[in-house]
Amino acid sequence: MEDHLKYMNEAIQEAYKAQELGEVPIGAVIVKDNEIIARGFNLRETLKDPTAHAEIIAIKQASKILGGWRLTGCTLYVTLEPCQMCAGALIQSRVDHLVFATRDEKAGCAVSLVNLLQDARFNHQVQITEGVLKEESAKLLRDFFINLRKSKF
């Protein structure tokens, strides 16, 4: 659990980078052999790219570093439960383990709406751990949206 806290704290630091750019504060890190090999944060608005989620950015970076698309032996830490696109990318990249902080009741596809990651019909399943630094991540997101709504009025 101590490692989970350490790496989720790193993902939260990535989320703050997104927030500084006015992006929804979601951050991710990928760990292999107890070392962070990739980082990502939400850049959808900045890049004008609907696929520029923290997880996708980290997966692409990890693939380059490892020299291939298979991320076996890797754990992805992310501050918000992955959407269907990111859950699919976790399956396709063969990530072994997902650790996420807080659920996404509107778009989460690890536990909230569906569990794509452990569907036996796919050729790969991903172990899931949820709730690591849940309150910190949820507060970061909640505060972001409160401030966003205030700035629109």
Side-chain angles (χ1 to χ4, degrees), residues 65-92:
I65 288 168
L66 295 177
W69 61 268
R70 288 180 185 87
L71 301 183
T72 53
C74 291
T75 299
L76 184 137
Y77 290 82
V78 65
T79 56
L80 183 66
E81 178 183 2
C83 69
Q84 72 277 17
M85 175 183 67
C86 294
L90 289 167
I91 294 166
Q92 291 299 318

Side-chain angles (χ1 to χ4, degrees), residues 117-129:
L117 298 174
Q118 296 178 328
D119 189 319
R121 295 173 293 178
F122 291 116
N123 64 341
H124 178 75
Q125 287 78 45
V126 179
Q127 180 185 350
I128 300 169
T129 302

Side-chain angles (χ1 to χ4, degrees), residues 79-81 100-105 108 111-112 130 134 141:
T79 56
L80 183 66
E81 178 183 2
F100 72 90
T102 191
R103 289 187 178 194
D104 183 347
E105 300 295 340
V111 294
S112 293
E130 73 167 292
K134 174 184 176 180
L141 286 159

Side-chain angles (χ1 to χ4, degrees), residues 10-50:
E10 292 291 329
I12 289 171
Q13 293 310 307
E14 294 299 307
Y16 279 114
K17 293 176 185 177
Q19 181 176 280
E20 288 172 14
L21 295 174
E23 297 275 1
V24 176
I26 301 168
V29 298
I30 296 180
V31 174
K32 184 174 176 86
D33 299 327
N34 297 312
E35 182 181 336
I36 295 174
I37 62 167
R39 297 171 178 273
F41 54 88
N42 189 28
L43 285 170
R44 288 192 319 172
E45 300 298 331
T46 301
L47 298 178
K48 310 288 188 254
D49 179 353

Side-chain angles (χ1 to χ4, degrees), residues 85-100:
M85 175 183 67
C86 294
L90 289 167
I91 294 166
Q92 291 299 318
S93 63
R94 309 298 194 268
V95 167
D96 288 343
H97 191 181
L98 164 70
V99 180
F100 72 90

